[in-house]
Amino acid sequence: MTLYRFEQIEEKIINIIGQLIVDLRNDYFEEYVLLIARADYNKNIGDIQCDTTPYDFYNLQQFARDETREKFMIEYINRFKYRLTNQTTLSDACIEYDINIQLMIYSHVWESQMMLKTLRRIASIINNNGYEWRILFTKENGAFLPRNQFIENSILKPLKEQRQDLYKLLCTAYNSNLRNDFSHSDYLIKVKDRNIISYETEGCAYKQQLSFEEWNEIFVKSILLSYYLQKIIDERLQNYTKDESPKPVNVKIPYRNNPDEKLLCSIEPYYDESIGLYRFRYYQNK
C-alpha cells in the first residue's frame, strides 16, 4: 500500500463518520446525546439488589477493557504510516511477522464490544428504533452469539437500506472467514506469492485466498474505522458544552425491573476532575 492510498482511505472514513454523526445530531438529538454520552447498562449495578438504576454514562470499566487494545492499535497505525511515508522495505521474515501482528489487531477490532455496541446503536437509531441501552452478545438461551452473526444481523442488515456509505465501508472492511481462520490457526501466509490463504476447518482445501494488496485494504479500513469512530464521538462529547446549549437534555431511561418502559429524565454534562474529561450525569430537578 502507498501513503497516498492510505490517506485516501483515511479521508473517506473521516468524512463518512463525520457526516453520520452530524446527521444523528440533526435528526435524532436525544439519541445522539446518549450515544456521545456512552449510555450503557452497568452489569455491576444490575447484578445487585438496590434501587439504583443500572443504566449510566461513560462507564470507565467498559473503557478499561478496551484500552490496551486501542493503545496498541494506535501505536501500530503510527508505525505503519511512518513506514509508508519513508517507503521502508521489509525482509520476507519481517513481512510475515508484520502480517501476523496485523491479523491479531484485525481480529481484536472485530471482537471489541465498544466498537460493536457503537455500530449496533447507530443502526438502531437510524432505523427509528431508538437508543439501545443494553446490548447482549448472547442468544436467548444464554449461549454465546458468534460475532459474525451479531455483525451481519444486528449491524449490516439494519444499515443496508438506511446508510449505504457506512454499510459499504463495513462490507469491505469485515471478512469473517479471515478473522475466524486466524483465530483457529487455519491460515497460511505465503510471502513469495504475496497472498494469505484460509483453509477449510477439515482437510487441506482452500477456503479463501487474498493477495497482500487486498488484505492491506481490508486491514487499513478496519483499523481506521475503529480509531475514528471512537475519536470523533469522544471529540463530540468533550466539545459538547461549546457546541450545544448547556441546558439539561430530556432523555428516556429504562426502568430497572421493566426495561421496555422508559422514565423521562434530564441529564447534563459536567467536567469530571478525577479523570480530566467531560461526562454526563442525571440532573435532579429542584
Side-chain angles (χ1 to χ4, degrees), residues 233-283:
I233 289 176
D234 285 342
E235 287 175 348
R236 283 279 176 159
L237 172 59
Q238 298 311 311
N239 293 325
Y240 182 86
T241 56
K242 300 175 186 176
D243 298 337
E244 309 291 347
S245 167
K247 295 179 181 179
V249 179
N250 291 327
V251 298
K252 300 179 184 69
I253 297 176
Y255 282 96
R256 166 182 275 271
N257 297 321
N258 189 0
D260 291 333
E261 291 190 16
K262 305 289 194 301
L263 175 68
L264 185 64
C265 293
S266 295
I267 61 174
E268 65 177 358
Y270 76 103
Y271 187 75
D272 187 338
E273 294 184 354
S274 66
I275 59 173
L277 295 170
Y278 278 96
R279 301 170 69 181
F280 273 82
R281 62 186 171 192
Y282 296 106
Y283 176 81

Side-chain angles (χ1 to χ4, degrees), residues 51-68:
D51 294 331
T52 305
T53 177
Y55 302 97
D56 63 7
F57 308 103
Y58 211 90
N59 184 341
L60 294 178
Q61 292 177 338
Q62 285 289 331
F63 281 86
R65 68 190 297 167
D66 209 44
E67 181 180 1
T68 298

Side-chain angles (χ1 to χ4, degrees), residues 99 103 106-107 152 171-183 186-190 193-212 214-216 218-219:
I99 291 177
L103 285 165
Y106 177 81
S107 297
E152 289 167 10
C171 287
T172 56
Y174 177 64
N175 186 308
S176 63
N177 285 332
L178 191 58
R179 186 189 67 82
N180 291 337
D181 296 334
F182 172 75
S183 301
D186 289 329
Y187 73 103
L188 174 66
I189 299 169
K190 301 184 72 173
D193 296 331
R194 299 189 62 77
N195 59 38
I196 305 171
I197 294 170
S198 296
Y199 289 103
E200 295 289 351
T201 304
E202 297 183 4
C204 297
Y206 290 3
K207 179 166 57 178
Q208 177 180 262
Q209 181 171 301
L210 288 173
S211 69
F212 284 179
E214 291 171 320
W215 162 244
N216 279 330
I218 292 171
F219 174 67

